[in-house]
Amino acid sequence: MHANILVLPGDGIGTEVTAAAVSVLRAVARRYGHEFHFEERLIGGAAIDATGEPLPAATLDAARKADAVLLGAVGGPRWSDPKAKVRPEQGLLAIRKALGLYANLRPVKPHRATLGASPVKPHLLNGVDLVVVRELTGGIYFGDKTRDAGAASDLCSYSVAEIERVVRHACTLARARRGKLTSVDKANVLETSRLWRETTERLVREEFPDVTLEHQLVDSMAMHLLAKPREYDVIVTENMFGDILTDEASMLAGSLGLLPSASLGDGKTGIYEPIHGSAPDIAGKGIANPYAAILSAALLLRHSLGLEREAACVEQAVSAALDAGVLTGDLAPAGRGVRTVEATRAVLENIEADCYVAELRD
Ligand code: NAD
């Protein structure tokens, strides 16, 4: 297969972890006989420095033409003046909106080798396998904002159509998994949540009667996610609740450095990125955990390119590296972490070994 992949490294460790993910995609292409063409463009702080814009037109243009986008992370102290008119995060919000990527998938499946790295007790984590589907292009992050000397406001609004399309996406996913959907809202207080709940109930009843639906208020969900994470299969929620709950859910896996994400719309093109940020505290040191970015590349292979066998190969290669104890500093005991390049090399070696075994089987 031939595919055009746009790479947006962004800022901080974004450049380090996307380099690792690209090397993995190159290895997959080599081993499975695909032709991946990579083009690199600017986004975030790096783009502001070079062009004054967090999302230059050339980057958006390239994204529209690409089959998939691999993104690192944006932001950092250099661009974090709260009074600044132009900020790196605006680039992220704008590219998701422009490409119509309304469903953000964040799978959480703690690995046996890293159970000890989570602050949650290991016996609660065994068997956890959930996906959060976060609405990505609506809600309070995109509503009108006001500010004067004495007050500020952010408008949260959702239309029925916006709710339907993301819930439909989550139901389709639940149907292919264990058939359970948990919809998270704040229907006891917010009007948008009451619309969310009514719309979800109707849509599941009419289109997905085989999916088991439960509702959960966001505050109790924050508690249940830590107390009984095994009970969840697919969790769907609006933009801001999803943002917060997924960072909490990342702690089930032990580190932000292990969690990938896929942002999808109605077409094939998606943006694939680790859920972590640009980690300015470790940027440039060569010690960032590349697994979340590499697992994001696996999601790219699966969702945008339809290459399930290749995606599974990458996921197994990361799993084998974790099993072998190849852990970066965020997961290893103090002073015992490997460098980004060593973790990446372990994955590359496992991909070669895995493919060799696959060829033998063929
Ligand atoms: P962060 O995710 O960058 O870092 C939080 C902590 O986790 C840090 O201690 C960091 O060292 C560690 N960490 C994160 N990823 C890691 C990895 N791959 N390997 C090892 N350790 C890792 O969050 P933050 O510090 O709150 O934000 C830093 C900057 O990133 C801010 O400018 C923020 O706006 C931005 N940010 C961007 C995104 C994005 O691009 N999607 C997401 C979150 C934050």
Side-chain angles (χ1 to χ4, degrees), residues 13 17 71-76 89 92 96 255-257 273-282 287-289 330:
I13 64 165
V17 298
L71 198 144
V74 302
E89 294 75 15
L92 264 190
R96 291 166 178 166
S255 170
L256 281 173
E273 55 181 315
I275 81 156
H276 61 72
S278 59
D281 52 336
I282 58 165
I287 57 171
N289 183 342
D330 50 318

Side-chain angles (χ1 to χ4, degrees), residues 102-117:
Y102 57 81
N104 181 231
L105 272 56
R106 297 184 169 194
V108 181
K109 194 173 173 183
H111 192 276
R112 56 191 168 268
T114 60
L115 292 186

Side-chain angles (χ1 to χ4, degrees), residues 147-302:
R147 176 77 186 261
D148 60 29
S153 75
D154 300 277
L155 178 71
C156 181
S157 87
Y158 268 109
S159 69
V160 169
E162 281 175 316
I163 300 167
E164 280 179 347
R165 63 185 185 177
V166 72
V167 173
R168 199 173 277 124
H169 205 109
C171 285
T172 306
L173 191 63
R175 193 175 253 173
R177 291 169 49 97
R178 302 196 298 281
K180 183 174 171 192
L181 181 70
T182 304
S183 173
V184 178
D185 60 39
K186 187 72 183 167
N188 53 343
V189 178
L190 298 177
E191 207 50 54
T192 41
S193 279
R194 285 192 272 274
L195 182 69
W196 183 281
R197 193 174 278 217
E198 279 167 33
T199 307
T200 301
E201 266 183 11
R202 179 182 45 73
L203 188 126
V204 171
R205 192 174 57 243
E206 289 175 1
E207 296 182 28
F208 298 88
D210 50 320
V211 169
T212 306
L213 170 68
E214 67 168 18
H215 300 284
Q216 197 67 250
L217 294 174
V218 64
D219 37 353
S220 56
M221 186 67 205
M223 180 185 69
H224 292 315
L225 203 49
L226 297 182
K228 46 175 189 173
R230 220 179 354 247
E231 298 209 354
Y232 298 100
D233 180 13
V234 177
I235 298 167
V236 66
T237 190
E238 60 99 79
N239 203 342
M240 184 167 70
F241 296 162
D243 194 6
I244 298 166
L245 288 178
T246 46
D247 262 31
E248 185 191 355
S250 76
M251 283 297 96
L252 302 171
S255 170
L256 281 173
L258 286 173
L259 286 191
S261 81
S263 301
L264 307 171
D266 290 326
K268 277 264 171 224
T269 307
I271 297 184
Y272 302 86
E273 55 181 315
I275 81 156
H276 61 72
S278 59
D281 52 336
I282 58 165
K285 295 184 179 161
I287 57 171
N289 183 342
Y291 293 148
I294 292 171
L295 291 169
S296 301
L299 295 180
L300 180 157
L301 291 166
R302 175 173 295 126

